[in-house]
Amino acid sequence: MTSTRYRKRANLRDVAKLANVSVATVSRVLNSPDSVAKNTKAVVDAAIAELRFVPSAAARAINSGRSRFVGALVPTLDHAIFARYLAALEQTLSDYRLSLVVATTNGDAAVEAQKAQTLVDIGAEGLVISGITHERELYELIERCQLPSVATSYYDPDFLLPTIGYDNVDAGRIALEHLLSLGHSAIAVVHGSLTSNDRTLARIKGLEGHDDAQMSFLEADLSVEAGCAAARQILSGKQRATAVLCLSDVLATGVLYELNRQGVSVPQDISIVGIDDLPGSAHTTPGLTTVHLPVVRMGHATAVAISEWIENGVVPAEKLFDTDLIIRGSTSPLHAD
């Protein structure tokens, strides 16, 4: 078997030396080929092919003053909702010949501010952030750099940055009203952190004003395992809930898995509703009733907004997407004993 030998990557000077031309001539061949004589271009092209030269993106950025990338800050890549959103964002950014660089924050606002600075330091031409609760340093960075920036997964027309997202208050309300319409009043609410996630706080706000609901609240990490633990805690309670409202499908999936494992029938014994509408939520047993969040459409719209701002100076208006209840097999009317 022939071994592969690696050699130092060729640069402009190497191409110029082999072609016996100036570095400036090689640069013109790469950037303005019509301005170079055909014979000279042919010699340079042959040298490029022989050396397997690939133009440096960093060098191009220096020459053009453009990095052509957008930075996105998200809490995590562990959950499918962020993967779907980022895929849509990246796909549409590429239509504008822009690339995407993603940084994760683990829901820590201080970490987010630090990573935003790093993205700016390496040349980000725009930022996409999640939610509306951030460190002062992040806002100061955006203002100081006059950086096109959009907040997503949240809708607030009064926020200092354009917001493109959905009404999280309404998402919580829709989920609760579905359970109430089925006759459930003893409802366990399983949710993520209240200290680091404005989307969760907004969804809980959507549960207010329903005096007919007797709700108990359980805070959990956003993981399937934490959902399983929450289900065990619900089952061990003195007053058994007839329904579980999870403020994310990740938690709802864990609750469903654990109830099935414990021999509790869903929805005959306990109904479950989530929020997100993850791809797998339609394929659990039973399928998960949930509130659909339009993250794919949000990703595409955000990419268009930030791209138009960067390329054409068009500051985007805020954009609100509807949330919709998706009824599947995990909820049913309450049966009197």
Side-chain angles (χ1 to χ4, degrees):
M1 180 178 177
T2 303
S3 62
T4 300
R5 299 185 64 184
Y6 294 93
R7 59 185 178 182
K8 182 181 176 181
R9 178 175 174 175
N11 57 35
L12 282 177
R13 293 186 182 277
D14 297 326
V15 175
K17 183 178 180 180
L18 182 61
N20 196 28
V21 298
S22 68
V23 171
T25 296
V26 176
S27 181
R28 285 198 300 273
V29 169
L30 294 171
N31 299 304
S32 303
D34 293 340
S35 68
V36 183
K38 289 184 179 180
N39 290 342
T40 301
K41 181 178 182 302
V43 172
V44 172
D45 285 342
I48 288 173
E50 182 175 339
L51 293 174
R52 298 181 182 177
F53 170 73
V54 177
S56 165
R60 283 184 170 178
I62 292 171
N63 292 331
S64 67
R66 297 287 307 275
S67 68
R68 303 206 65 84
F69 85 83
V70 172
L73 295 150
V74 295
T76 180
L77 295 176
D78 289 343
H79 305 318
I81 192 165
F82 294 111
R84 295 171 68 209
Y85 157 63
L86 290 172
L89 182 64
E90 191 277 334
Q91 181 184 46
T92 302
L93 284 174
S94 68
D95 294 339
Y96 288 83
R97 295 177 56 245
L98 293 170
S99 299
L100 179 67
V101 176
V102 178
T104 58
T105 67
N106 197 33
D108 187 317
V111 170
E112 179 187 55
Q114 293 168 2
K115 292 196 174 184
Q117 181 66 65
T118 299
L119 289 169
V120 170
D121 288 344
I122 62 175
E125 295 191 40
L127 281 182
V128 178
I129 58 179
S130 298
I132 62 170
T133 303
H134 307 279
E135 293 282 288
R136 185 184 73 256
E137 287 78 7
L138 177 60
Y139 299 128
E140 290 176 348
L141 173 68
I142 291 170
E143 175 64 24
R144 185 170 64 253
C145 299
Q146 290 295 290
L147 191 67
S149 302
V150 174
T152 65
S153 303
Y154 207 103
Y155 175 75
D156 182 350
D158 298 322
F159 188 54
L160 54 87
L161 299 176
T163 56
I164 298 177
Y166 35 81
D167 188 335
N168 286 278
V169 174
D170 198 48
R173 179 190 59 77
I174 290 171
L176 176 60
E177 290 183 351
H178 173 62
L179 292 175
L180 294 176
S181 72
L182 296 175
H184 297 280
S185 59
I187 301 169
V189 179
V190 183
H191 58 83
S193 172
L194 298 180
T195 59
S196 62
N197 194 314
D198 47 32
R199 281 79 75 203
T200 297
L201 286 169
R203 292 172 196 178
I204 287 180
K205 186 176 180 180
L207 309 182
E208 297 174 356
H210 294 276
D211 296 335
D212 48 345
Q214 301 166 5
M215 290 179 282
S216 58
F217 293 82
L218 294 173
E219 183 170 325
D221 294 333
L222 286 179
S223 68
V224 171
E225 294 81 2
C228 292
R232 292 192 293 270
Q233 189 171 346
I234 292 167
L235 292 176
S236 66
K238 293 180 180 179
Q239 291 186 323
R240 181 79 162 267
T242 66
V244 183
L245 194 171
C246 296
L247 300 188
S248 80
D249 277 13
V250 171
L251 289 170
T253 300
V255 170
L256 179 58
Y257 286 166
E258 186 64 24
L259 292 180
N260 284 337
R261 187 158 43 234
Q262 297 285 345
V264 177
S265 180
V266 177
Q268 287 78 12
D269 296 328
I270 298 182
S271 287
I272 304 174
V273 63
I275 296 176
D276 283 333
D277 192 22
L278 297 179
S281 297
H283 305 291
T284 55
T285 304
L288 183 65
T289 295
T290 185
V291 178
H292 174 76
L293 302 181
V295 295
V296 172
R297 286 186 291 151
M298 181 182 74
H300 290 309
T302 300
V304 171
I306 198 78
S307 298
E308 289 291 338
W309 196 349
I310 292 170
E311 299 294 340
N312 301 314
V314 180
V315 180
E318 65 274 358
K319 188 174 183 64
L320 174 65
F321 290 98
D322 291 334
T323 54
D324 302 298
L325 180 68
I326 308 297
I327 300 176
R328 300 191 180 106
S330 68
T331 54
S332 68
L334 178 66
H335 299 288
D337 292 334

